[in-house]
Amino acid sequence: MSADSNKKKIVHAHLPADEEFTTTLTAGSHELLADEPTSVEGGKDKGPDPYDYLLMSLGTCTVMTVKMYANRKGWEVDDMYMELRHNKRHDEDCENCDDPKSKIDVIEKELIIEGDFTQKQLDRMLDISKKCPVHRTLMSDMKIKSFISRK
């Protein structure tokens, strides 16, 4: 979203030896915690889990993108919210499959906008919400290159 969006981003995730899952995340000068819920053995629920962060990333990018669009159009948005849900389910063409591997990840995004808008404006903002950079990244063919090193 920022002007530096084409630069390579570096984020650190540190899981110290004395922690089971509580991980310190740093991005520039910002520090966050991630953890597993207490329902997972060893989880202490000290922070959102990794899928929560994925949804938060998609949600923040989406509302920022829609807000930028609305501002350019001169549309006054009173407030904007995103509710996101993630689950794994069988693809529509595989409703009777018994194989657990046939499930796909599904993210549901609900954009809630307060303001005086026509249905046409709301429909356009919904279209724009699907164009945020994180949404496009998640929907694209992606490569993740993994390396390992020792310290």
Side-chain angles (χ1 to χ4, degrees), residues 63-97:
V63 295
M64 289 176 182
T65 300
V66 173
K67 181 74 176 237
M68 283 183 209
Y69 179 80
N71 287 346
R72 274 191 236 129
K73 290 292 191 177
W75 299 346
E76 189 173 327
V77 176
D78 295 337
D79 257 330
M80 192 178 327
Y81 307 88
M82 284 277 343
E83 288 190 9
L84 299 103
R85 291 168 286 286
H86 170 260
N87 59 62
K88 292 182 182 284
R89 63 172 89 137
H90 290 291
D91 202 358
E92 281 114 25
D93 64 351
C94 192
E95 288 186 25
N96 297 320
C97 293

Tab-separated table of all heavy atoms in Angstrom, residues 63-97:
chain	number	residue	atom	x	y	z
A	63	VAL	N	-9.457	-2.552	3.575
A	63	VAL	CA	-10.113	-1.296	3.981
A	63	VAL	C	-9.288	-0.087	3.553
A	63	VAL	O	-9.856	0.945	3.184
A	63	VAL	CB	-10.451	-1.253	5.495
A	63	VAL	CG1	-11.494	-2.307	5.841
A	63	VAL	CG2	-9.230	-1.371	6.375
A	64	MET	N	-7.958	-0.204	3.572
A	64	MET	CA	-7.123	0.912	3.103
A	64	MET	C	-7.347	1.175	1.616
A	64	MET	O	-7.455	2.322	1.189
A	64	MET	CB	-5.645	0.617	3.359
A	64	MET	CG	-5.237	0.669	4.801
A	64	MET	SD	-3.490	0.185	4.913
A	64	MET	CE	-3.240	0.267	6.671
A	65	THR	N	-7.416	0.104	0.827
A	65	THR	CA	-7.627	0.241	-0.620
A	65	THR	C	-8.988	0.863	-0.914
A	65	THR	O	-9.095	1.789	-1.739
A	65	THR	CB	-7.500	-1.136	-1.308
A	65	THR	OG1	-6.185	-1.650	-1.071
A	65	THR	CG2	-7.751	-1.041	-2.802
A	66	VAL	N	-10.019	0.388	-0.243
A	66	VAL	CA	-11.366	0.925	-0.471
A	66	VAL	C	-11.434	2.381	-0.025
A	66	VAL	O	-12.037	3.226	-0.699
A	66	VAL	CB	-12.433	0.054	0.233
A	66	VAL	CG1	-13.810	0.706	0.152
A	66	VAL	CG2	-12.468	-1.337	-0.387
A	67	LYS	N	-10.803	2.711	1.087
A	67	LYS	CA	-10.805	4.095	1.582
A	67	LYS	C	-10.098	5.027	0.595
A	67	LYS	O	-10.572	6.128	0.311
A	67	LYS	CB	-10.132	4.147	2.959
A	67	LYS	CG	-10.097	5.519	3.598
A	67	LYS	CD	-11.450	5.932	4.122
A	67	LYS	CE	-11.382	7.246	4.845
A	67	LYS	NZ	-11.844	7.200	6.194
A	68	MET	N	-8.956	4.566	0.047
A	68	MET	CA	-8.254	5.379	-0.951
A	68	MET	C	-9.151	5.650	-2.158
A	68	MET	O	-9.205	6.771	-2.669
A	68	MET	CB	-6.978	4.674	-1.427
A	68	MET	CG	-5.830	4.749	-0.483
A	68	MET	SD	-4.417	3.941	-1.288
A	68	MET	CE	-3.549	3.347	0.137
A	69	TYR	N	-9.848	4.613	-2.599
A	69	TYR	CA	-10.745	4.750	-3.749
A	69	TYR	C	-11.884	5.725	-3.430
A	69	TYR	O	-12.178	6.625	-4.214
A	69	TYR	CB	-11.302	3.387	-4.152
A	69	TYR	CG	-12.258	3.454	-5.313
A	69	TYR	CD1	-11.794	3.546	-6.622
A	69	TYR	CD2	-13.635	3.453	-5.103
A	69	TYR	CE1	-12.676	3.628	-7.691
A	69	TYR	CE2	-14.527	3.530	-6.164
A	69	TYR	CZ	-14.038	3.624	-7.453
A	69	TYR	OH	-14.912	3.710	-8.506
A	70	ALA	N	-12.515	5.545	-2.276
A	70	ALA	CA	-13.621	6.421	-1.879
A	70	ALA	C	-13.146	7.869	-1.768
A	70	ALA	O	-13.848	8.795	-2.210
A	70	ALA	CB	-14.232	5.944	-0.560
A	71	ASN	N	-11.955	8.072	-1.201
A	71	ASN	CA	-11.410	9.431	-1.088
A	71	ASN	C	-11.215	10.056	-2.469
A	71	ASN	O	-11.540	11.224	-2.676
A	71	ASN	CB	-10.087	9.428	-0.326
A	71	ASN	CG	-10.274	9.200	1.163
A	71	ASN	OD1	-11.380	9.294	1.702
A	71	ASN	ND2	-9.187	8.873	1.844
A	72	ARG	N	-10.666	9.277	-3.418
A	72	ARG	CA	-10.457	9.792	-4.776
A	72	ARG	C	-11.770	10.175	-5.452
A	72	ARG	O	-11.821	11.107	-6.235
A	72	ARG	CB	-9.713	8.762	-5.630
A	72	ARG	CG	-8.227	8.861	-5.473
A	72	ARG	CD	-7.486	8.035	-6.511
A	72	ARG	NE	-6.629	7.130	-5.758
A	72	ARG	CZ	-6.551	5.830	-5.911
A	72	ARG	NH1	-7.251	5.228	-6.833
A	72	ARG	NH2	-5.762	5.104	-5.167
A	73	LYS	N	-12.827	9.426	-5.133
A	73	LYS	CA	-14.139	9.698	-5.715
A	73	LYS	C	-14.880	10.800	-4.971
A	73	LYS	O	-15.939	11.246	-5.413
A	73	LYS	CB	-15.003	8.421	-5.689
A	73	LYS	CG	-14.531	7.365	-6.653
A	73	LYS	CD	-14.756	7.848	-8.069
A	73	LYS	CE	-14.570	6.769	-9.084
A	73	LYS	NZ	-14.849	7.233	-10.435
A	74	GLY	N	-14.350	11.212	-3.808
A	74	GLY	CA	-15.025	12.230	-3.009
A	74	GLY	C	-16.201	11.679	-2.218
A	74	GLY	O	-17.083	12.432	-1.807
A	75	TRP	N	-16.218	10.362	-2.026
A	75	TRP	CA	-17.293	9.722	-1.267
A	75	TRP	C	-16.926	9.737	0.208
A	75	TRP	O	-15.855	9.284	0.600
A	75	TRP	CB	-17.496	8.286	-1.717
A	75	TRP	CG	-17.884	8.132	-3.159
A	75	TRP	CD1	-18.313	9.112	-4.008
A	75	TRP	CD2	-17.863	6.927	-3.918
A	75	TRP	NE1	-18.562	8.593	-5.251
A	75	TRP	CE2	-18.297	7.241	-5.227
A	75	TRP	CE3	-17.529	5.616	-3.632
A	75	TRP	CZ2	-18.390	6.296	-6.229
A	75	TRP	CZ3	-17.631	4.667	-4.635
A	75	TRP	CH2	-18.062	5.007	-5.920
A	76	GLU	N	-17.821	10.228	1.032
A	76	GLU	CA	-17.549	10.312	2.473
A	76	GLU	C	-17.926	8.998	3.166
A	76	GLU	O	-19.096	8.622	3.199
A	76	GLU	CB	-18.332	11.471	3.091
A	76	GLU	CG	-17.920	11.737	4.519
A	76	GLU	CD	-18.569	12.982	5.090
A	76	GLU	OE1	-18.808	13.935	4.324
A	76	GLU	OE2	-18.850	12.973	6.302
A	77	VAL	N	-16.904	8.345	3.686
A	77	VAL	CA	-17.105	7.091	4.414
A	77	VAL	C	-17.088	7.422	5.899
A	77	VAL	O	-16.114	7.971	6.406
A	77	VAL	CB	-15.983	6.068	4.089
A	77	VAL	CG1	-16.151	4.811	4.915
A	77	VAL	CG2	-15.973	5.740	2.603
A	78	ASP	N	-18.194	7.120	6.605
A	78	ASP	CA	-18.243	7.395	8.042
A	78	ASP	C	-17.334	6.435	8.803
A	78	ASP	O	-16.515	6.848	9.597
A	78	ASP	CB	-19.680	7.290	8.556
A	78	ASP	CG	-20.583	8.360	7.954
A	78	ASP	OD1	-20.063	9.412	7.517
A	78	ASP	OD2	-21.803	8.137	7.896
A	79	ASP	N	-17.474	5.165	8.578
A	79	ASP	CA	-16.648	4.135	9.210
A	79	ASP	C	-16.619	2.935	8.284
A	79	ASP	O	-17.544	2.722	7.494
A	79	ASP	CB	-17.233	3.697	10.560
A	79	ASP	CG	-16.491	4.293	11.737
A	79	ASP	OD1	-15.281	4.552	11.619
A	79	ASP	OD2	-17.130	4.479	12.795
A	80	MET	N	-15.570	2.137	8.424
A	80	MET	CA	-15.454	0.945	7.596
A	80	MET	C	-14.870	-0.171	8.451
A	80	MET	O	-13.965	0.058	9.239
A	80	MET	CB	-14.534	1.233	6.411
A	80	MET	CG	-14.579	0.167	5.362
A	80	MET	SD	-13.548	0.499	3.901
A	80	MET	CE	-13.595	2.245	3.706
A	81	TYR	N	-15.428	-1.351	8.294
A	81	TYR	CA	-14.993	-2.522	9.052
A	81	TYR	C	-14.831	-3.696	8.096
A	81	TYR	O	-15.473	-3.750	7.047
A	81	TYR	CB	-16.044	-2.938	10.086
A	81	TYR	CG	-16.500	-1.850	11.011
A	81	TYR	CD1	-17.566	-1.021	10.651
A	81	TYR	CD2	-15.881	-1.653	12.232
A	81	TYR	CE1	-18.000	-0.021	11.504
A	81	TYR	CE2	-16.316	-0.648	13.087
A	81	TYR	CZ	-17.369	0.161	12.710
A	81	TYR	OH	-17.798	1.146	13.550
A	82	MET	N	-14.009	-4.643	8.494
A	82	MET	CA	-13.912	-5.918	7.772
A	82	MET	C	-14.106	-7.022	8.790
A	82	MET	O	-13.542	-6.975	9.879
A	82	MET	CB	-12.515	-6.135	7.171
A	82	MET	CG	-12.185	-5.370	5.961
A	82	MET	SD	-12.694	-5.924	4.328
A	82	MET	CE	-13.142	-7.572	4.341
A	83	GLU	N	-14.895	-7.985	8.428
A	83	GLU	CA	-14.966	-9.222	9.198
A	83	GLU	C	-14.500	-10.318	8.260
A	83	GLU	O	-14.996	-10.433	7.135
A	83	GLU	CB	-16.381	-9.479	9.707
A	83	GLU	CG	-16.774	-8.543	10.819
A	83	GLU	CD	-18.063	-8.931	11.498
A	83	GLU	OE1	-18.598	-10.021	11.231
A	83	GLU	OE2	-18.542	-8.114	12.304
A	84	LEU	N	-13.539	-11.092	8.732
A	84	LEU	CA	-12.962	-12.141	7.903
A	84	LEU	C	-13.030	-13.466	8.637
A	84	LEU	O	-12.864	-13.510	9.863
A	84	LEU	CB	-11.501	-11.816	7.560
A	84	LEU	CG	-11.326	-10.529	6.766
A	84	LEU	CD1	-10.823	-9.429	7.657
A	84	LEU	CD2	-10.397	-10.752	5.603
A	85	ARG	N	-13.281	-14.509	7.882
A	85	ARG	CA	-13.329	-15.854	8.439
A	85	ARG	C	-12.507	-16.768	7.548
A	85	ARG	O	-12.499	-16.604	6.326
A	85	ARG	CB	-14.776	-16.348	8.494
A	85	ARG	CG	-15.633	-15.615	9.520
A	85	ARG	CD	-17.121	-15.885	9.375
A	85	ARG	NE	-17.749	-15.220	8.251
A	85	ARG	CZ	-18.022	-13.918	8.183
A	85	ARG	NH1	-17.682	-13.125	9.168
A	85	ARG	NH2	-18.620	-13.402	7.127
A	86	HIS	N	-11.832	-17.717	8.173
A	86	HIS	CA	-11.040	-18.701	7.420
A	86	HIS	C	-11.464	-20.087	7.863
A	86	HIS	O	-11.662	-20.345	9.052
A	86	HIS	CB	-9.547	-18.508	7.702
A	86	HIS	CG	-8.707	-19.619	7.165
A	86	HIS	ND1	-8.244	-20.638	7.962
A	86	HIS	CD2	-8.279	-19.895	5.914
A	86	HIS	CE1	-7.556	-21.476	7.218
A	86	HIS	NE2	-7.553	-21.050	5.972
A	87	ASN	N	-11.636	-20.967	6.908
A	87	ASN	CA	-11.888	-22.368	7.231
A	87	ASN	C	-11.447	-23.228	6.065
A	87	ASN	O	-11.085	-22.729	5.011
A	87	ASN	CB	-13.364	-22.607	7.596
A	87	ASN	CG	-14.314	-22.233	6.491
A	87	ASN	OD1	-14.273	-22.795	5.406
A	87	ASN	ND2	-15.182	-21.262	6.748
A	88	LYS	N	-11.463	-24.506	6.300
A	88	LYS	CA	-11.150	-25.471	5.254
A	88	LYS	C	-12.417	-26.259	4.994
A	88	LYS	O	-13.071	-26.708	5.917
A	88	LYS	CB	-10.026	-26.395	5.699
A	88	LYS	CG	-8.699	-25.676	5.840
A	88	LYS	CD	-7.602	-26.643	6.245
A	88	LYS	CE	-6.290	-25.939	6.441
A	88	LYS	NZ	-5.630	-25.565	5.208
A	89	ARG	N	-12.770	-26.381	3.727
A	89	ARG	CA	-13.972	-27.132	3.385
A	89	ARG	C	-13.779	-27.777	2.026
A	89	ARG	O	-12.898	-27.403	1.273
A	89	ARG	CB	-15.212	-26.255	3.435
A	89	ARG	CG	-15.217	-25.107	2.449
A	89	ARG	CD	-16.564	-24.410	2.433
A	89	ARG	NE	-16.623	-23.356	3.408
A	89	ARG	CZ	-17.145	-22.167	3.172
A	89	ARG	NH1	-17.665	-21.887	2.012
A	89	ARG	NH2	-17.171	-21.249	4.104
A	90	HIS	N	-14.655	-28.712	1.746
A	90	HIS	CA	-14.609	-29.355	0.439
A	90	HIS	C	-14.980	-28.348	-0.631
A	90	HIS	O	-15.866	-27.521	-0.445
A	90	HIS	CB	-15.576	-30.544	0.377
A	90	HIS	CG	-15.148	-31.701	1.206
A	90	HIS	ND1	-14.045	-32.456	0.894
A	90	HIS	CD2	-15.641	-32.241	2.345
A	90	HIS	CE1	-13.893	-33.407	1.796
A	90	HIS	NE2	-14.850	-33.290	2.693
A	91	ASP	N	-14.290	-28.422	-1.743
A	91	ASP	CA	-14.632	-27.590	-2.879
A	91	ASP	C	-16.039	-27.960	-3.340
A	91	ASP	O	-16.503	-29.068	-3.112
A	91	ASP	CB	-13.616	-27.820	-4.000
A	91	ASP	CG	-13.570	-26.663	-4.983
A	91	ASP	OD1	-14.345	-25.698	-4.817
A	91	ASP	OD2	-12.759	-26.731	-5.915
A	92	GLU	N	-16.730	-27.014	-3.979
A	92	GLU	CA	-18.121	-27.255	-4.373
A	92	GLU	C	-18.305	-28.501	-5.225
A	92	GLU	O	-19.293	-29.195	-5.119
A	92	GLU	CB	-18.692	-26.045	-5.121
A	92	GLU	CG	-19.111	-24.932	-4.190
A	92	GLU	CD	-18.266	-23.693	-4.374
A	92	GLU	OE1	-17.709	-23.487	-5.464
A	92	GLU	OE2	-18.153	-22.924	-3.411
A	93	ASP	N	-17.339	-28.794	-6.082
A	93	ASP	CA	-17.504	-29.956	-6.955
A	93	ASP	C	-17.073	-31.247	-6.269
A	93	ASP	O	-16.977	-32.285	-6.889
A	93	ASP	CB	-16.751	-29.770	-8.274
A	93	ASP	CG	-15.251	-29.675	-8.089
A	93	ASP	OD1	-14.804	-29.592	-6.933
A	93	ASP	OD2	-14.539	-29.684	-9.100
A	94	CYS	N	-16.840	-31.189	-4.972
A	94	CYS	CA	-16.379	-32.366	-4.249
A	94	CYS	C	-17.142	-32.505	-2.929
A	94	CYS	O	-16.571	-32.873	-1.917
A	94	CYS	CB	-14.880	-32.251	-3.988
A	94	CYS	SG	-14.135	-33.778	-3.401
A	95	GLU	N	-18.414	-32.191	-2.925
A	95	GLU	CA	-19.190	-32.194	-1.686
A	95	GLU	C	-19.290	-33.567	-1.046
A	95	GLU	O	-19.453	-33.671	0.149
A	95	GLU	CB	-20.581	-31.615	-1.942
A	95	GLU	CG	-20.545	-30.124	-2.168
A	95	GLU	CD	-21.927	-29.525	-2.277
A	95	GLU	OE1	-22.882	-30.102	-1.738
A	95	GLU	OE2	-22.032	-28.459	-2.900
A	96	ASN	N	-19.200	-34.625	-1.813
A	96	ASN	CA	-19.342	-35.966	-1.261
A	96	ASN	C	-17.999	-36.669	-1.056
A	96	ASN	O	-17.961	-37.857	-0.781
A	96	ASN	CB	-20.242	-36.823	-2.170
A	96	ASN	CG	-21.643	-36.253	-2.235
A	96	ASN	OD1	-22.174	-35.793	-1.234
A	96	ASN	ND2	-22.232	-36.268	-3.411
A	97	CYS	N	-16.923	-35.941	-1.191
A	97	CYS	CA	-15.604	-36.555	-1.033
A	97	CYS	C	-15.340	-36.861	0.434
A	97	CYS	O	-15.645	-36.059	1.314
A	97	CYS	CB	-14.516	-35.630	-1.554
A	97	CYS	SG	-14.581	-35.386	-3.325
